[in-house]
Amino acid sequence: MLTKKRRPASAAVGSPFAPDAVEVNPRHLQIGDEWVASFAIAGYPREVHPGWLQPLLTYPGRLDVSLHIEPIDPQVAAERLKKQLGKLESGRRHTAQHGRLADPQVEAATEDAHDLSDRLARGEGRLFRVGLYLTVHATSERELIEEISALRALTASLLMDAKPTTYRSLQGWVTALPMGLDQIGMTRSFDTAALSAAFPFTSPDLPPPDATSASAASGVLYGWNLGSQGLVHWDRFACENYNSVILGRSGAGKSYLVKLEALRSLYRGVEIAIIDPEDEYARLARAVGGTYFPLGSEGVRLNPLDLPIHTRPDGRRTAPSDALTRRSLFVHTLLSVLFGQSLAADERAVLDQAVTATYRAAGMTDDARTWTRQAPLLSDLRAVLAQSDVETARDLGSRLHPFTDGAFSGLFDGPTTAPPEGHLLVFSLRNLPDELKPAGTLLTLDAVWRRVSNPSTRRPRLCVVDEAWLLMQQPSGAEFLWRMAKSARKHWAGLTVATQDVGDVLGSDLGKAVIANAATQILLRQAPQAIDDIVRTFGLSEGERQFLLAAGTGQGLLSTGTQRVALQAIASDTEHRLITTDPAELAAMADEFTETDETADQDSYHDLVLDD
């Protein structure tokens, strides 16, 4: 045993990163408080696929993987390959002359050698000397033995023969360090294709955007990777569609992650529209200069009969050629949500006639030049229905009474107060009665869609529907959300659907279709009652199932089709103060505000901080 003695403190010189002592044993090293053992790969599988070293790169313990590559001169490679072919062919002929059975390994080696020789002669590849070395770390000798056993089992499952660097443990450790020194020299000849497959192009991290593309966006930082300690940096606008779903139980950090993504998307110039059922985004909107619409408050209204009028750069106001027809169809959807059930066939017929008559009474006909006039109100539609001679129409008019003249009329009793403008639009639904929240969600989605579909103001946009279960409970609302998920990509927009009631999303075909049309899917901590549906829908493994049941706040799985990573959402202190909804933290922030500015207007502070 060779031991490097510890130097006295008075004589300590050199790099502060060097270990205090290194104890060398035949099969392992003790470096300070760590135990280290090294291995050289002596045997390899006959065929490999790209990323075949990924199991080593994702090893749960601390494992150093070192790949040493040395190119072989093409002339030398050709001569050596020629000699090797001669030996193999000679062996085959000798076996055939003596009537012996052919050796399968020799036959396979001969075929591979011929194929490699042909590719080298055509200039399709080169030969390299490659050495693959592994160094495993542990905190005790007992743990090192367990890690060695697990590592050798893993390499055996990959058809690799891992040999310990017996009596060369120090050289094995140095070889695995990032210094480019191969002091073991146990190499194998690889051609270009096999070597490229050995490169660590796959990892537990998400693939980066295409650096060669001029249109590649920079992406958004979601947090850090629980599997590799790297960063989870993802660009939704680089996917085949820009939609996202976020599913998690109450308290899992769902709204926190939504607000964090929205805030960081604003840095990139993405326009954000948020449907906020619990008034959680008010502080964020005020902090970044966004526009805040508290629906249900006095004087804040949305007229469902407004036509999608677009203002062109030259100042002219236009509308899509089928604007009147689409608005009529939207009114059908709205009334279905208001009434809590789908309309019957006869009800749809009389409603369609009444909508046409209502627009005609306001001077709006099939002539597109009339569409810029003041749109009628929902009360005008009710009046037309009530004056009809058809009993079904009068019945619809009476059912509309609470929403035009009764307790729920505040949202509809006048023209739209202000058009939604700004880089961040927040539609708060907290002040709406529970009976109107699904309809309020539908109306705000419609207002956002009119802005998104405006061809004269194309830019990347995100529409966030928090607590989407409010709308998914109604079949007509779920169908509107599904249509928006299907069409958003064509208008350079992405839909974010976040909900804690997983049953309402996964319990319907439309809800599953919304998930299927989301290229980015984030699963946070799940309730035991919903985990089985989540596992079936997303095809999770048993390990992923247990992770979602035990995940902490802000932890979850980000799935992008073939890639999945476990992440922890992180925010800076400034971001955290803007997006947290923890009552204890908000109370502490209120106390801090009082201490630093005793003369501050408490009402304005409550508007700024405590509305959350």
Side-chain angles (χ1 to χ4, degrees), residues 185-217:
M186 191 173 293
T187 61
R188 176 77 173 267
S189 294
F190 276 47
D191 67 333
T192 304
L195 179 59
S196 63
F199 270 59
F201 288 137
T202 60
S203 73
D205 295 305
L206 292 174
D210 184 7
T212 64
S213 174
S215 61

Side-chain angles (χ1 to χ4, degrees), residues 16-274:
F17 299 103
D20 293 336
V22 177
E23 182 176 317
V24 182
N25 293 276
R27 288 179 175 265
H28 69 268
L29 300 176
Q30 187 174 356
I31 306 172
D33 296 331
E34 279 194 335
W35 295 70
V36 174
S38 299
F39 295 85
I41 302 300
Y44 295 85
R46 180 172 180 263
E47 295 182 359
V48 295
H49 55 82
W52 66 286
L53 290 182
Q54 182 182 5
L56 295 177
L57 302 176
T58 58
Y59 184 75
R62 181 182 172 187
L63 177 66
D64 298 334
V65 181
S66 178
L67 198 64
H68 292 259
I69 305 168
E70 178 185 356
I72 301 177
D73 183 81
Q75 185 175 357
V76 175
E79 293 177 356
R80 292 183 178 179
L81 190 57
K82 184 178 179 180
K83 292 180 180 179
Q84 184 66 19
L85 274 172
K87 292 179 182 179
L88 293 172
E89 287 293 347
S90 177
R92 292 177 64 190
R93 292 178 183 179
H94 183 270
T95 300
Q97 288 176 359
H98 289 77
R100 300 172 184 169
L101 293 176
D103 188 344
Q105 293 184 354
V106 173
E107 295 291 330
T110 304
E111 293 177 6
D112 292 342
H114 277 291
D115 180 63
L116 179 58
S117 178
D118 293 340
R119 283 189 278 117
L120 290 179
R122 291 193 297 266
E124 296 178 358
R126 295 185 58 183
L127 281 183
F128 302 85
R129 294 188 187 93
V130 178
L132 179 58
Y133 308 98
L134 311 175
T135 298
V136 64
H137 298 253
T139 57
S140 65
E141 185 176 10
R142 180 185 182 89
E143 182 183 345
L144 181 64
I145 295 174
E146 295 175 354
E147 292 289 346
I148 290 175
S149 177
L151 178 61
R152 299 198 72 167
L154 175 60
T155 55
S157 69
L158 298 175
L159 302 181
M160 294 191 297
D161 186 10
K163 299 293 185 183
T165 56
T166 306
Y167 292 105
R168 291 189 293 175
S169 53
L170 180 61
Q171 290 84 349
W173 174 59
V174 172
T175 299
L177 293 177
M179 298 190 298
L181 299 177
D182 185 357
Q183 298 189 355
I184 299 297
M186 191 173 293
T187 61
R188 176 77 173 267
S189 294
F190 276 47
D191 67 333
T192 304
L195 179 59
S196 63
F199 270 59
F201 288 137
T202 60
S203 73
D205 295 305
L206 292 174
D210 184 7
T212 64
S213 174
S215 61
S218 57
V220 169
L221 174 65
Y222 284 85
W224 55 277
N225 192 327
L226 296 175
S228 69
Q229 307 303 312
L231 297 178
V232 179
H233 199 263
W234 186 244
D235 183 10
R236 288 171 56 177
F237 288 93
C239 301
E240 62 270 17
N241 66 67
Y242 320 134
N243 300 332
S244 171
V245 293
I246 302 178
L247 306 179
R249 65 182 298 179
S250 178
K254 178 179 71 287
S255 296
Y256 189 94
L257 182 60
V258 170
K259 285 181 278 190
L260 185 63
E261 181 192 26
L263 182 59
R264 291 175 176 172
S265 296
L266 289 173
Y267 302 155
R268 303 174 51 205
V270 179
E271 185 179 295
I272 311 290
I274 300 174

Side-chain angles (χ1 to χ4, degrees), residues 559-610:
S559 175
T560 61
T562 59
Q563 296 277 344
R564 275 196 196 127
V565 296
L567 64 89
Q568 169 70 60
I570 55 174
S572 67
D573 292 340
T574 302
E575 291 172 327
H576 180 77
R577 291 173 66 88
L578 289 177
I579 64 181
T580 182
T581 55
D582 188 337
E585 293 185 357
L586 294 176
M589 290 164 61
D591 295 340
E592 178 184 346
F593 180 85
T594 303
E595 293 175 0
T596 56
D597 191 358
E598 296 181 354
T599 64
D601 182 7
Q602 292 299 314
D603 290 337
S604 65
Y605 175 72
H606 282 278
D607 288 340
L608 178 64
V609 175
L610 297 184

